[in-house]
Amino acid sequence: EDQVTQSPEALRLQEGESSSLNCSYTVSGLRGLFWYRQDPGKGPEFLFTLYSAGEEKEKERLKATLTKKESFLHITAPKPEDSATYLCAVQEFVYSSASKIIFGSGTRLSIRP
Amino acid sequence: ETGVTQSPTHLIKTRGQQVTLRCSSQSGHNTVSWYQQALGQGPQFIFQYYREEENGRGNFPPRFSGLQFPNYSSELNVNALELDDSALYLCASSSKITQGAYNEQFFGPGTRLTVL
């Protein structure tokens, strides 16, 4: 069964304490892996797209990497405003021109000042 | 450039009723997807529409149906509402780039549906 698993479920860090979030996936026909940030009561906000193993993307304090089985979201020297739920999603080729998007359950990140 | 908008923001229905949720895509996008997000969970893929045709569907029963219009706006219809349908319903728009692959999706703020 196609799955996307994120770990840890929740992470509490001190401001400035770097860490990584993990997203592991078991899907066939991967067409892309996406990272989103979601604040309470709002829709997810796009962060990164990764298409192939070895690819890396950076934005401010965030860096996303991709291997054949998992992706990491590294956060360097986080600030309280980085507190949010971080979602990973995988786009899987289904047939013809159709695709399916599978989201993980997210990691709730909390940064203490 | 306007973003993805959804209406209404909140909705309360009773079990057995029908509901229609609406979404306007981001300018220039031709694909719209709908998701159901329960509290504390990641979004669950309902279906995707490309050029007014359903182009992928998740594990949701037929009472979840949709439409995409020529201007790429979309509706999600849910018949015979059940208590478990209470959730945040998200719409996302994107552009098709290759066969079976799409650019990143941009999400609307969602519609919070409560079924009593």
Side-chain angles (χ1 to χ4, degrees):
Chain A
E1 182 182 325
D2 298 332
Q3 275 193 319
V4 178
T5 304
Q6 292 189 245
S7 61
E9 289 186 8
L11 182 62
R12 296 188 69 186
L13 300 172
Q14 198 69 34
E15 183 173 2
E17 181 185 0
S18 301
S19 188
S20 295
L21 314 182
N22 177 262
C23 170
S24 62
Y25 60 92
T26 54
V27 298
S28 56
L30 180 72
R31 281 291 185 267
L33 184 142
F34 307 98
W35 281 98
Y36 289 88
R37 168 195 170 125
Q38 187 174 27
D39 293 302
K42 296 188 177 181
E45 175 189 343
F46 170 74
L47 293 174
F48 302 109
T49 306
L50 301 167
Y51 288 108
S52 57
E55 191 173 357
E56 297 183 353
K57 294 272 181 74
E58 283 190 71
K59 179 181 179 180
E60 296 180 356
R61 295 178 291 283
L62 299 175
K63 178 180 177 180
T65 62
L66 180 65
T67 71
K68 286 187 178 180
K69 293 294 183 184
E70 60 190 350
S71 176
F72 292 93
L73 184 65
H74 308 277
I75 182 161
T76 302
K79 298 181 178 181
E81 54 262 40
D82 294 322
S83 297
T85 295
Y86 289 85
L87 295 164
C88 166
V90 170
Q91 180 174 221
E92 178 188 26
F93 177 75
V94 178
Y95 62 86
S96 183
S97 66
S99 64
K100 188 168 69 172
I101 314 293
I102 305 170
F103 273 85
S105 295
T107 294
R108 294 188 308 279
L109 178 64
S110 175
I111 309 298
R112 300 188 300 271
Chain B
E1 181 180 281
T2 56
V4 179
T5 61
Q6 292 186 243
S7 63
T9 306
H10 296 87
L11 201 54
I12 299 175
K13 292 285 188 177
T14 56
R15 193 170 49 182
Q17 284 188 311
Q18 178 266 343
V19 68
T20 297
L21 310 182
R22 295 180 174 82
C23 170
S24 291
S25 301
Q26 182 163 312
S27 177
H29 287 178
N30 55 19
T31 302
V32 65
S33 302
W34 284 92
Y35 296 84
Q36 179 193 69
Q37 187 175 26
L39 206 59
Q41 299 296 315
Q44 296 291 310
F45 177 63
I46 302 175
F47 43 57
Q48 182 181 77
Y49 278 81
Y50 171 66
R51 292 186 175 178
E52 302 177 56
E53 291 191 2
E54 190 178 288
N55 192 46
R57 188 178 182 96
N59 297 325
F60 280 82
R63 60 189 185 86
F64 286 79
S65 63
L67 285 173
Q68 186 183 30
F69 300 100
N71 66 354
Y72 302 126
S73 65
S74 177
E75 287 182 355
L76 165 65
N77 298 290
V78 186
N79 293 323
L81 283 167
E82 301 177 359
L83 298 179
D84 286 348
D85 294 334
S86 295
L88 181 68
Y89 286 85
L90 295 163
C91 166
S93 71
S94 58
S95 296
K96 185 177 179 181
I97 52 175
T98 66
Q99 197 82 341
Y102 300 80
N103 276 332
E104 58 274 8
Q105 298 185 329
F106 292 87
F107 284 81
T111 293
R112 172 72 63 188
L113 173 65
T114 302
V115 182
L116 302 176

